[in-house]
Amino acid sequence: MSQDTLVKRQFGHRARLALSPAEVSKTDGQAHAARTLWNCLHAWWQMMPKDKRTLAAADAAIRQARKEIDFLAVLPAQAAQAVLKTYHQAWKNCWEGRADAPNFKARFRAVMSVDIPQGRDLNIVRVHRRWGMVNIPKVGRVRFRWTKDLPVGKRADAENRITGARLVKDVLGWHIAFRVQALQGRPDPHQGAEVGIDVGVTVPLALSNEDHQDHGRPPRLPDGTADRDKWLTPKEKAKLLRLEREAAHRKTFRKRGEKTSRRLRHTYDQIKQLRAKATRRALDWQHQTTTRLARTYGVIVVEQLNITNMVKSARGTVEEPGKNVKAKAGLNRSISQEAWGRTVTMLAYKLARHGGELVKVPAPNTSRRCSACGTITPGSREDQATFVCKNPGCGFEANADWNAARNILHLYRIGHVIVEVPALGSRGRRAGNTVKPAAAM
């Protein structure tokens, strides 16, 4: 295979670690030291004049802090350097308008993580079919679940290797996320059909060819309110309700300023486990669905949605209070649960892996326009689930999501494709989007 047909790809793989109580304590200590180092670095950055906020000065400050504070010595030196690089990158993202300014990390709200920037320090070995061994600096050799073939041993070379990893803790315990670099063959252009997709709440993914993807979980309860625990079984929902009531009851006995009791922390952990189970089920459905779509279709067209603006609260102000605040809050919760942005991200990299293409088109009026006659007639969307064209010469009637998906595909076919403008505005934010014909791309 020639070099022209090869492409270098970088992806991640997450595996669960099997740590002993002593190893968990050591890893927790490293994570707390990394968070403390971040907070010290942030305090130093705010106190220093702007002309002295350099990487060299920050590196010297970190080295001095590790000498003076014994608690920070449990963190490996390379992991401390990774904290500095991550912090500096956070400021670069802020300056370029991609994120907000970095802030202090709270003990209980921040994600516990430790970076291992050098892949050669891992020394990964496969023990047998289900388990592998990895070296964690200042912790030792630990086991992890082997669920994916990794480029280790004789399979590793300069182009196919593990470049680093990150230790991350969630409610299920510690996991290791490997950063993998692989040289793979460039996929042939996908010969599948074109399809438009409209994301929604009632129908998660409505396709223009009526091959709708539904996870079978109703978004609302019989009383009309949003079901935020739709990925749990009725038995699990009852258990979650009981635990939340217990936590609320036990919280009334805690005085202001007192530490959370062990019993209350245990109840919180049980609630987190149920929430994590629901999140894993939703993520698993998204992965399976997007993989199936990427293998089936060559071009997938979606809307360019500003989800952040869509889920803004309707509460308003004291002078001008909002209307239908409770209903809007339920809709916002349902939109957040469907994770439309994550679905589009999955489709983007999976289509690229299979030789397909993801295209975005403008979102305005895709749900109000009739896909049969192309007109926008007031009153066509009186029913949220059904589209009935009020044009006297048309009368087209169909599912509202399917009608929108057909409009999305039609916009792509007539050339209304969104092209991201690389130029940045005066404050570092994107200047905007433009529309170009598909043939000009």
Side-chain angles (χ1 to χ4, degrees):
M1 185 177 293
S2 64
Q3 292 293 328
D4 295 338
T5 61
L6 297 177
V7 59
K8 186 180 293 185
R9 299 189 183 277
Q10 294 183 351
F11 58 92
H13 172 64
R14 182 163 170 161
R16 186 180 301 184
L17 293 172
L19 303 179
S20 65
E23 293 168 342
V24 169
S25 178
K26 291 181 180 179
T27 312
D28 288 349
Q30 290 190 16
H32 287 305
R35 180 185 56 82
T36 304
L37 187 61
W38 172 286
N39 291 337
C40 292
L41 182 60
H42 186 60
W44 175 89
W45 188 275
Q46 290 182 321
M47 290 187 298
M48 294 297 291
K50 289 186 178 181
D51 57 338
K52 295 186 178 180
R53 295 176 182 175
T54 62
L55 277 176
D59 181 58
I62 284 180
R63 294 176 185 272
Q64 186 66 24
R66 285 171 54 81
K67 291 179 181 179
E68 297 177 354
I69 305 176
D70 296 337
F71 172 67
L72 298 179
V74 300
L75 187 67
Q78 292 182 344
Q81 292 296 317
V83 172
L84 172 59
K85 292 180 180 178
T86 304
Y87 182 79
H88 188 258
Q89 183 62 42
W91 273 114
K92 289 180 64 177
N93 294 338
C94 174
W95 297 331
E96 296 174 4
R98 295 193 298 267
D100 295 332
N103 207 337
F104 289 100
K105 291 188 176 181
R107 177 181 178 88
F108 295 105
R109 291 192 296 271
V111 178
M112 297 180 65
S113 63
V114 181
D115 200 45
I116 307 176
Q118 298 294 336
R120 62 173 179 267
D121 297 336
L122 298 173
N123 298 323
I124 301 172
V125 176
R126 186 171 187 176
V127 179
H128 53 76
R129 185 171 63 90
R130 293 188 177 182
W131 293 96
M133 297 288 291
V134 61
N135 181 66
I136 298 178
K138 292 195 175 185
V139 176
R141 301 286 291 174
V142 298
R143 295 190 306 161
F144 69 93
R145 291 285 294 178
W146 191 284
T147 57
K148 183 181 180 67
D149 288 336
L150 299 172
V152 297
K154 296 181 179 180
R155 300 181 56 186
D157 52 32
E159 303 294 343
N160 300 275
R161 59 193 176 93
I162 294 178
T163 59
R166 177 182 289 269
L167 306 178
V168 183
K169 187 176 185 181
D170 61 9
V171 68
L172 300 176
W174 278 100
H175 295 72
I176 183 167
F178 297 105
R179 293 188 288 268
V180 185
Q181 174 184 297
L183 193 64
Q184 300 176 350
R186 190 184 302 274
D188 296 330
H190 201 297
Q191 301 301 320
E194 303 169 349
V195 68
I197 295 182
D198 177 66
V199 292
V201 175
T202 305
V203 180
L205 298 177
L207 276 63
S208 57
N209 59 359
E210 295 190 276
D211 183 21
H212 306 323
Q213 304 296 318
D214 190 3
H215 45 58
R217 311 258 178 182
R220 297 189 176 276
L221 296 171
D223 59 359
T225 59
D227 186 6
R228 64 174 184 172
D229 304 317
K230 61 185 177 184
W231 291 98
L232 298 177
T233 63
K235 188 175 181 179
E236 291 168 341
K237 289 182 182 180
K239 181 179 178 181
L240 178 62
L241 179 61
R242 176 178 58 81
L243 291 172
E244 289 178 337
R245 288 175 175 173
E246 287 181 2
H249 177 67
R250 288 170 180 167
K251 191 176 179 180
T252 58
F253 295 97
R254 188 183 66 175
K255 296 181 180 178
R256 186 178 182 86
E258 286 185 348
K259 290 185 178 180
T260 305
S261 66
R262 183 181 300 178
R263 198 173 279 182
L264 181 56
R265 286 201 305 268
H266 178 65
T267 305
Y268 283 152
D269 289 341
Q270 289 180 298
I271 294 174
K272 290 179 181 179
Q273 290 175 1
L274 286 174
R275 298 285 188 202
K277 182 180 291 188
T279 302
R280 292 197 307 274
R281 288 173 181 170
L283 189 62
D284 180 66
W285 179 85
Q286 279 186 307
H287 271 296
Q288 293 190 28
T289 303
T290 52
T291 299
R292 183 165 55 251
L293 293 175
R295 289 174 177 173
T296 305
Y297 301 103
V299 177
I300 294 181
V301 190
V302 297
E303 295 175 293
Q304 177 72 12
L305 296 175
N306 192 334
I307 303 175
T308 303
N309 291 340
M310 294 176 65
V311 297
K312 282 186 176 180
S313 174
R315 187 175 302 171
T317 61
V318 177
E319 295 78 9
E320 297 182 3
K323 299 179 180 179
N324 298 325
V325 178
K326 188 174 182 180
K328 183 63 167 65
L331 177 61
N332 294 345
R333 191 180 300 115
S334 299
I335 293 175
S336 300
Q337 281 186 333
E338 294 299 335
W340 296 340
R342 188 169 61 194
T343 299
V344 173
T345 301
M346 290 180 180
L347 284 173
Y349 77 80
K350 291 180 181 181
L351 281 166
R353 187 179 300 170
H354 290 85
E357 182 184 6
L358 180 71
V359 180
K360 294 184 179 181
V361 298
N365 296 323
T366 54
S367 60
R368 299 175 59 237
R369 184 183 294 110
C370 177
S371 59
C373 65
T375 60
I376 301 176
T377 309
S380 298
R381 283 297 305 274
E382 292 180 352
D383 185 2
Q384 187 68 22
T386 306
F387 181 90
V388 181
C389 183
K390 299 300 183 180
N391 186 359
C394 180
F396 175 75
E397 181 177 354
N399 178 272
D401 297 326
W402 178 51
N403 176 74
R406 293 180 59 182
N407 285 325
I408 291 170
L409 180 60
H410 178 70
L411 287 176
Y412 164 72
R413 288 177 173 173
I414 64 177
H416 287 275
V417 177
I418 288 182
V419 180
E420 294 290 342
V421 178
L424 300 177
S426 58
R427 299 185 63 182
R429 300 187 180 275
R430 290 193 180 276
N433 294 328
T434 185
V435 178
K436 287 186 177 182
M441 295 183 61

